[in-house]
Amino acid sequence: MRHFNIYALLILLLGLFASCEDEDKVQVPADAVKPVLTAPDGGGTYVLEKVNEEEVFKTFEWSAADFNIPVVEEYSIEVDATGGDFSSYKVIANSITSPYEITVGDFNKAMLAAGFTDGEAHDIILRISANHHLSSETIEMNVTTYFDAEPWTVIGSAVGGWDLENDQYMTYDKDNDVYTITLDMVPGDFKFRAPKKDSDPWKFNYGLSGDSEVIEDAQDVELESGGSNIQTLGGNYTITLDVTNEKFSIVQNSAGDLTNWTDVVLDAVGTGVSADNANASADGSSWNWGNVLLPDNEGKPASNGTTFTWTWTGVVLEAEEGFKLRTLNGEAAPENGISFDVGYAALDVENSTDQVVDKDGNFSVSTKGEYTITLEIDAASGDTKKVTIVEYSAYPAHMYMIGASIGGWTWGENDIEMIPVHSNPHLFWRIVWIEKGVQDAGLKFSEEQAWGKDFGVSGEAVDGVYAKGSDNVPDVYESGYYMVVVNLREETIEITTPSINGIGGVFGDENWNGGIAFTVDNANKVITSPAFTGNGELRMYATALTMTNKDGDLVDWWQAEFIALNDVIEYRGVGDDQERLNVTAGQSISLDFINGTGTLQ
C-alpha cells in the first residue's frame, strides 16, 4: 500500500465538515461544497506512518472559509476508537488555533493515551472540530501507533542474543516519560535500542557512559549513544529507561539460578609451581604440596556474561613436576560454598602449547619456563571448566579492531581480527575499508573481543602514525582502503594508504628485491596488481612505516605475506609457508579486502 502524506491528510481533514443539530451550534450552509476524497491506493484506507520522534509535522493552517462557517477562535483534533460515533473520542490536540504545529512524538503519545496498544495497527476515525460545535465528515485511516516508530527495547546476550527476534520491548509510561520492563535475564550483556526508529536497528542505541561493567542494583546510571555493554549476572530485573535524560535504573528482584563465581579466589599448587615466582609461597594447606600461587587480580576472575576467567600471567613452571588449579587452599569458597580442583583432564589441548604433558593426572611441562595459564568456567553450561596453558609472551596472541567506521561497535558482530606479523609478536596489521561520516564514527583496538582492555590513540597523527592512547581514532579519513598497523613495542598505531607489493619472477623481479606496487582503486573498492610479466608462483605482501622488528628495521616481506587460494585471501600470519597460486603472464589479480576475495583477471 502506498503511504499517504500526513501533511496532505491534515489539510484534507481541515476541509471536512458536517451539519450540527443543536440550535446554539454554528449552522453549515446547505449548499456548502464538500471536498471529494480519493484514497491514494484507490481504496478507502489511508496509512499514517511516523518517521521518528524528533521530526515535526509541517505547520498547517486554516481559516473559517475552509469550514464554510463563521470565524471561531479554537479548534481541536480528535480520535475515535468506537467506530465513528465519537461517543468516547479522545482529544489529540485541543484549544488550537491557526496556524498549528504538532510534533510526531506528541501525536503518537496521544494515540497511546487514547487506548491504542503498543506497536499495533488500528482502524481509527480522525476528525477536526471547531470548538466541538462542528463534527467534520470523518475519514477512515489505518494507523500504526506510537511504539511502531519509537519503541525502546532491551537487547543482548542477557536476553537471548543480539538479533531482532531478541528485542524485549519496554512499556512507555506517558506520565513520567520513561520506559519500563520487568524480565528474566541470564548472565550476559545488554544495551538499549529503538530498532524500529530507523532502517538501521542500531542507529539509536544507548550503553554505559564508560567501560563495560556489571550493574545489578543502581539508580540513574549515565548512558550515552553507542556506549559500552551493560553486564548482568542474571535473575529477574525491573529496568527503567529515561531516554530524555540518558540514564537508566535497574533493580534485581531475584537472583538467577546460575553459580556466581564473581569473587571466588583460586590458586595453583604443586611442585611444578616454581619458587622462582616472586609471589609463590610454600603450600600451608592440608595438601602440603610444593608451592602455591594466586592468579592475577588478587586471585579473582574476570567475567563476561556467563563466563568467568582466572589468569596466571608469566608464571614460572618447573620441568617434569606436577601442579593443579583449585579453590583457595583446597577449601570451599565462602561466596558459593563450592570447592574443586582440576588437572590435565581439563586441558584445552588444541589451544595449549605442546610443552604441557600429563603427569599422573596433574599438569606438567617438559621445559622449565614462563607460561600463561587460564582457567575458564562457563556458568551457563553446568560450570564446565577449561584450562589453557601457553608459553608466555609480553604481547597478546590476538588483536581486534572495532568501530562504526568499519561497521559498528558490537563485539562479536562488527570487530575485525588483525593479522599477526610472523616472528614479531608486537606487530599486527590489517587492510580495512574506513567509511567517513557515519554516526558514532571512530575505531578502537583490543586483545579481546570485549571492552576492558581496549585502547585507541592519543593526539594527532604524524605521517599517519598516532601514539597509543585512550581516544577513538578520529573521523578524519575519506572513505577508502587503509592499512592499519598496531606496534605494541613502540606503542604506535599507523593508518595510511595501503602499500601492497608483489615480488618474484611473475613481476619481472628475478632478484626478489620486491617493491612491485599494486594500485589502490577506492572507486571500485579493489586493490589491483600490474599485469604479470611471467609465469610462475604469485607472492604478495603488505608493508608500512611502523612494521618494524625489535631492531627498528622493516620486517622481511614474507612475515606479512598473504595469498589468494580459490579466490579467498588467506594470510600467513605466524604460520608456515603457504600453498602457491600459479599465474600466467598477462594476467593480474584484483583484491577485495572488504569481502576477503582475490580474483585473477
Side-chain angles (χ1 to χ4, degrees), residues 277-346:
N277 292 290
N279 296 318
S281 60
D283 180 23
S285 73
S286 61
W287 288 35
N288 191 28
W289 182 33
N291 298 304
V292 295
L293 185 67
L294 295 183
D296 306 345
N297 192 33
E298 299 180 337
K300 299 177 182 179
S303 63
N304 184 11
T306 62
T307 302
F308 298 82
T309 305
W310 293 260
T311 302
W312 290 257
T313 302
V315 56
V316 180
L317 299 176
E318 296 288 346
E320 301 180 358
E321 294 289 342
F323 68 95
K324 280 189 171 182
L325 310 178
R326 64 180 185 179
T327 48
L328 184 63
N329 295 321
E331 300 173 352
E335 290 77 12
N336 56 27
I338 297 175
S339 66
F340 71 84
D341 61 81
V342 294
Y344 189 83

Side-chain angles (χ1 to χ4, degrees), residues 20-34:
C20 302
E21 297 178 357
D22 297 341
E23 291 183 359
D24 61 338
K25 295 181 180 178
V26 177
Q27 299 298 311
V28 180
D31 60 350
V33 178
K34 299 179 181 180

Side-chain angles (χ1 to χ4, degrees), residues 570-592:
E570 296 186 8
Y571 301 93
R572 178 168 184 173
V574 297
D576 296 330
D577 207 359
Q578 296 174 285
E579 294 182 40
R580 292 286 171 260
L581 173 65
N582 287 295
V583 298
T584 304
Q587 290 182 308
S588 62
I589 191 166
S590 177
L591 301 169
D592 177 349

